[in-house]
């Protein structure tokens, strides 16, 4: 608590009482802590790849360049780390844009099946690399009001995760359906799943179940935070069900758009 006090004076400046104002600043303090943690996390996440880039470049300059095999190996690492750094900077800028109060969505009528098809086509090669069957069920035509590019971004992040966290030979399935007044979009995988104890924190910025595994797969730990923000910006809700070793299902619901004729 922050406490402010002020005297109440009567005639002849005689003290008649005191006003005390107790200001509950728990919420403010929490926000301040979240902000501090975020800055610390960002610094750490940026420092790690830069340190590694510098180290490998120095090693090459220090003589390793003469060894062709070592050079190829180090350059590969340098490329991978700079690629991750680029993703990280991109995701950070995205997140800060999306979190702005005046973040603007380019709203139009969207056929969810179209977006789902386009996104699966985009990620098909990545799925094939791991021999993962990327399936899509778009029997239903469902429209919502939304931002084409942002909705695609949601799907790309979710499908990309599903592919990354599913072992070779698995299945990633997309489904679009209607339920009462809601459009329901599910992304289901047969992957490693998420332990129940980790579920409450999964949408936090930089939160990962396994940092090393996420890093090695090019992850930034910001993907789901972006997905949650964008879903909520569309008046949607995101939920998930997961079973370790069995798979994970993300379920997104949006208000459905029904054409009205005047
Ligand atoms: P990352 O860039 O690390 O994938 P995300 O914010 O996209 O960051 O996801 C946060 C964490 O949630 C991941 O590090 C991973 O541990 C877990 N996760 C996300 N999607 C899945 C999934 N489909 N299956 C299993 N774990 C997942």
């Amino acid at each position: 608590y922050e406490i402010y006090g002020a005297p109440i004076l009567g005639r002849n400046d005689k003290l008649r009482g005191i006003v005390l104002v107790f200001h509950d600043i728990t919420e403010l303090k929490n926000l301040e802590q979240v902000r501090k943690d975020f800055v610390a996390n960002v610094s750490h996440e940026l420092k790690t790849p830069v340190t590694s880039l510098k180290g490998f470049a120095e090693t090459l300059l220090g003589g390793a360049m003469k060894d062709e095999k070592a050079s190829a190996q180090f350059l590969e690492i340098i490329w991978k780390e700079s690629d991750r750094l680029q993703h990280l900077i991109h995701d950070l800028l995205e997140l800060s844009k999306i979190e702005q109060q005046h973040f603007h969505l380019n709203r139009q009528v969207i056929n969810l099946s179209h977006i789902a098809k386009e996104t699966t086509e985009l990620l098909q090669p990545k799925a094939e690399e791991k021999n993962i069957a990327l399936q899509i069920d778009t029997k239903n035509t469902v429209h919502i009001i939304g931002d084409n590019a942002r909705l695609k971004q949601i799907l790309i992040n979710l499908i990309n995760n599903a592919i990354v966290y599913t072992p070779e030979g698995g299945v990633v399935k997309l489904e679009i359906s209607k339920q009462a007044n809601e459009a329901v979009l599910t992304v289901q995988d047969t992957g490693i799943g998420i332990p129940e104890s980790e579920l409450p924190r999964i949408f936090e910025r930089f939160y990962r179940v396994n940092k090393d595994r996420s890093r090695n797969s090019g992850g930034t730990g910001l993907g789901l935070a972006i997905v949650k923000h964008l879903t909520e910006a569309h008046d949607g809700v995101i939920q998930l069900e997961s079973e370790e070793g069995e798979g994970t299902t993300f379920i997104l619901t949006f208000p459905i758009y029904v054409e009205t004729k005047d």
Side-chain angles (χ1 to χ4, degrees):
Y1 286 96
E2 260 172 16
I3 307 169
Y4 304 96
I8 307 172
L9 302 178
R11 260 179 292 156
N12 311 327
D13 280 352
K14 243 177 136 176
L15 187 66
R16 288 188 57 202
I18 293 176
V19 186
L20 287 179
V21 179
F22 293 83
H23 195 177
D24 185 351
I25 55 167
T26 324
E27 184 75 5
L28 261 169
K29 275 262 156 67
N30 283 344
L31 278 176
E32 178 64 12
Q33 193 55 45
V34 168
R35 198 191 60 78
K36 275 189 187 152
D37 289 349
F38 180 62
V39 173
N41 277 330
V42 170
S43 313
H44 176 75
E45 296 288 335
L46 291 173
K47 258 191 207 158
T48 315
V50 171
T51 306
S52 139
L53 286 175
K54 200 173 160 192
F56 282 106
E58 272 169 9
T59 314
L60 280 171
L61 290 171
M65 216 152 42
K66 290 191 198 97
D67 181 341
E68 211 170 300
K69 219 168 142 198
S71 301
Q73 200 187 347
F74 290 172
L75 283 172
E76 173 81 23
I77 299 174
I78 290 177
W79 177 81
K80 224 173 156 179
E81 285 294 302
S82 33
D83 187 59
R84 217 176 66 76
L85 194 56
Q86 193 179 31
H87 273 136
L88 182 59
I89 293 168
H90 173 266
D91 279 0
L92 274 173
L93 290 174
E94 275 301 306
L95 194 62
S96 89
K97 214 190 304 171
I98 294 166
E99 283 184 338
Q100 304 252 325
Q101 285 215 318
H102 303 294
F103 171 61
H104 173 74
L105 285 179
N106 209 346
R107 289 175 202 270
Q108 60 188 94
V109 179
I110 302 280
N111 181 336
L112 271 184
S113 307
H114 283 174
I115 293 209
K117 261 188 213 145
E118 281 171 15
T119 319
T120 35
E121 274 163 25
L122 194 76
L123 289 168
Q124 191 66 47
K126 185 162 177 161
E128 273 166 23
E129 267 173 36
K130 282 183 79 178
N131 195 20
I132 287 175
L134 186 49
Q135 303 171 349
I136 171 169
D137 179 349
T138 53
K139 284 192 295 288
N140 303 294
T141 307
V142 184
H143 291 97
I144 66 167
I145 296 286
D147 184 315
N148 192 60
R150 298 311 193 176
L151 288 167
K152 248 191 212 166
Q153 200 175 358
I154 292 177
L155 273 177
I156 288 174
N157 285 357
L158 289 177
I159 300 172
N160 190 53
N161 276 350
I163 295 172
V164 167
Y165 299 108
T166 296
E168 298 244 347
V171 179
V172 174
K173 201 162 132 193
L174 233 83
E175 206 175 304
I176 285 154
S177 61
K178 263 183 230 184
Q179 248 171 47
N181 292 331
E182 312 218 284
V184 184
L185 186 133
T186 58
V187 180
Q188 186 174 16
D189 66 54
T190 58
I192 56 173
I194 302 166
E196 201 178 340
S197 57
E198 313 277 337
L199 289 178
R201 303 194 59 190
I202 211 74
F203 293 105
E204 281 176 28
R205 298 178 288 195
F206 291 122
Y207 193 78
R208 294 122 155 186
V209 174
N210 179 329
K211 268 197 194 300
D212 293 337
R213 192 181 58 204
S214 158
R215 274 220 190 89
N216 287 334
S217 59
T220 63
L222 294 173
L224 285 182
I226 292 176
V227 166
K228 186 162 199 282
H229 268 284
L230 286 178
T231 304
E232 287 170 358
H234 281 87
D235 301 317
V237 175
I238 183 163
Q239 289 164 295
L240 79 153
E241 289 162 7
S242 191
E243 184 107 20
E244 259 184 293
E246 297 287 325
T248 305
T249 307
F250 283 89
I251 306 147
L252 286 74
T253 47
F254 299 100
I256 214 161
Y257 170 73
V258 187
E259 212 176 337
T260 47
K261 294 204 175 85
D262 291 320

